[in-house]
Amino acid sequence: MDYLHPKLDDAAIARMSSLALAHVGDAVYEVLVRAYLACGGTQTAKNLHSRTVALVRASAQAEAVQRILPLLTEEEQDIYRHGRNAKPKTVPKSSSVAEYAHATALEALFGWLYLKQRYDRINELFGVIAQDF
């Protein structure tokens, strides 16, 4: 099995919960942010860490998703909506329920795109988000 590029059929992905998609998408989004920052020039490890934390927190993701919402296809909007409506058991103290819902939706979308192997689309959407970093 290729753990870096899992190959699941559409039915297997459709059976996954929005929170499972968000679990994968959380990692995908953080890798994108880390790579973007690390490749953007020489920075200290402490600076890379603090910038990463600032960009992947729920409030930042909730802002970021607003930039790409108008660009989403109907299918992507459905995944986003399901992710937004997911009911996690806890919400971090550092974010509001609404921010966390939007962040979960963004992560679900990125997780879904990753599992569907739509890497070009991930790069396209992340590129729009990263314009404001």
Side-chain angles (χ1 to χ4, degrees):
M1 167 137 183
D2 180 355
Y3 296 103
L4 189 57
H5 302 100
K7 293 188 182 358
L8 301 173
D9 61 23
D10 289 345
I13 295 169
R15 285 191 301 270
M16 295 178 77
S17 72
S18 294
L19 292 176
L21 292 174
H23 180 73
V24 173
D26 175 52
V28 171
Y29 192 80
E30 184 161 342
V31 166
L32 291 166
V33 168
R34 285 174 177 251
Y36 177 85
L37 293 174
C39 296
T42 306
Q43 298 186 44
T44 64
K46 181 179 178 182
N47 186 29
L48 285 170
H49 177 72
S50 62
R51 288 282 295 139
T52 299
V53 169
L55 293 171
V56 300
R57 69 173 31 123
S59 57
Q61 288 182 349
E63 286 179 26
V65 77
Q66 298 307 316
R67 294 182 213 115
I68 63 169
L69 278 177
L71 307 174
L72 299 184
T73 66
E74 202 169 304
E75 187 178 30
E76 291 166 348
Q77 288 174 22
D78 286 343
I79 299 300
Y80 176 83
R81 190 170 29 262
H82 287 289
R84 189 190 63 216
N85 293 335
K87 301 296 180 217
K89 292 187 190 281
T90 60
V91 174
K93 293 177 187 174
S94 61
S95 69
S96 70
V97 172
E99 286 174 334
Y100 198 66
H102 287 291
T104 301
L106 176 70
E107 291 171 350
L109 175 62
F110 273 79
W112 180 79
L113 289 169
Y114 175 76
L115 292 172
K116 297 283 274 185
Q117 300 182 338
R118 296 184 183 173
Y119 309 126
D120 288 342
R121 184 63 171 156
I122 290 171
N123 282 317
E124 181 182 343
L125 294 174
F126 186 76
V128 171
I129 291 169
Q131 288 175 358
D132 289 338
F133 285 173

